[in-house]
Amino acid sequence: MGNLVIKGRPAWLGAYNFADQMNALAIDYGSEAQNNTILTDSNVSNIGGLFTFGFAFQGFSDHSAADGVAFTNIGSSAPLVSATESGTEQEIAYLVNTKQLSVTPIQGSVGDMAGLEVTGNSADRLIRGVLECNRTAAATSTSTGIQQGSVSATQKMYASLHVTAASGSSPTLDCVGQSDDNAAFTSATSRIVFTQATTTTSEFSSVSGAITDDYWRVSFTIGGTTPSFTFALAFGII
């Protein structure tokens, strides 16, 4: 049996890594119970209804960073990716397009650390996927790629991009989700093309099946003068 400790675990909401200030994160995923009890039943019977999702960040206020991001996003959609261990590329991650509903920018009693809380629910379904890219890069490259599986005609491949830092003169970052039928990506096909990033940004996107390719990676092109980008990207099929 594996044992995990909550530490060194990044969590991106929009264009910010909230793990830099949060000390607690909760993600709830479920299905609404719908009563289908009939007259011949001797006990209450239920079936699963609509899927439900909720999240909550708790941590420390910093009015130049996290709470400003959270305040701006109220009522808007913002992609969320939570790593499950340390943020190492190709570890399991959860991704979802959230609807941020509330922020408590400051809370606590005299003498306490000033607290921050951000909560919301989903604008789409929660996806169990892979953190394919998590790095700071200054040159064009690709991620290693992983065999995530093919996408059936009733499924989609989802991807969540989080650009948390950009520097240099006129920097540009073009990220593309690619698939192939082999680990060497000798015939890579572009499936998800993200909007070019020139500063911090985030984007949640998807592509519908059927896609028989089962290997997936990120290809990124960086331009500008002495450019540098810190970004993360997660994939998941549902």
Side-chain angles (χ1 to χ4, degrees), residues 2-39:
N3 296 285
L4 297 176
V5 175
I6 303 288
K7 65 177 182 178
R9 185 171 301 185
W12 298 269
L13 179 62
Y16 192 79
N17 183 359
F18 273 75
D20 292 337
Q21 288 175 242
M22 298 295 104
N23 63 1
L25 164 64
I27 293 177
D28 295 316
Y29 183 54
S31 177
E32 292 182 336
Q34 298 297 322
N35 190 310
N36 67 340
T37 309
I38 58 177
L39 290 175

Side-chain angles (χ1 to χ4, degrees), residues 101-141:
L101 296 181
S102 72
V103 58
T104 305
I106 188 166
Q107 58 183 353
S109 302
V110 60
D112 291 344
M113 292 290 294
L116 167 68
E117 182 174 19
V118 182
T119 65
N121 59 26
S122 64
D124 212 320
R125 286 184 63 180
L126 180 68
I127 302 132
R128 186 178 187 271
V130 172
L131 181 61
E132 179 59 28
C133 204
N134 179 22
R135 62 181 69 181
T136 297
T140 297
S141 187

Side-chain angles (χ1 to χ4, degrees), residues 162-182:
H162 304 260
V163 182
T164 58
S167 63
S169 177
S170 301
T172 60
L173 171 67
D174 293 276
C175 287
V176 179
Q178 296 181 325
S179 70
D180 209 335
D181 61 0
N182 65 90

Side-chain angles (χ1 to χ4, degrees), residues 175-201:
C175 287
V176 179
Q178 296 181 325
S179 70
D180 209 335
D181 61 0
N182 65 90
F185 286 86
T186 56
S187 55
T189 300
S190 295
R191 300 292 185 182
I192 300 176
V193 179
F194 289 92
T195 303
Q196 184 181 81
T198 58
T199 185
T200 58
T201 187

Side-chain angles (χ1 to χ4, degrees), residues 139-159:
T140 297
S141 187
T142 61
S143 66
T144 302
I146 191 171
Q147 190 176 25
Q148 290 201 61
S150 58
V151 184
S152 75
T154 60
Q155 293 179 313
K156 291 183 179 181
M157 171 62 84
Y158 291 86

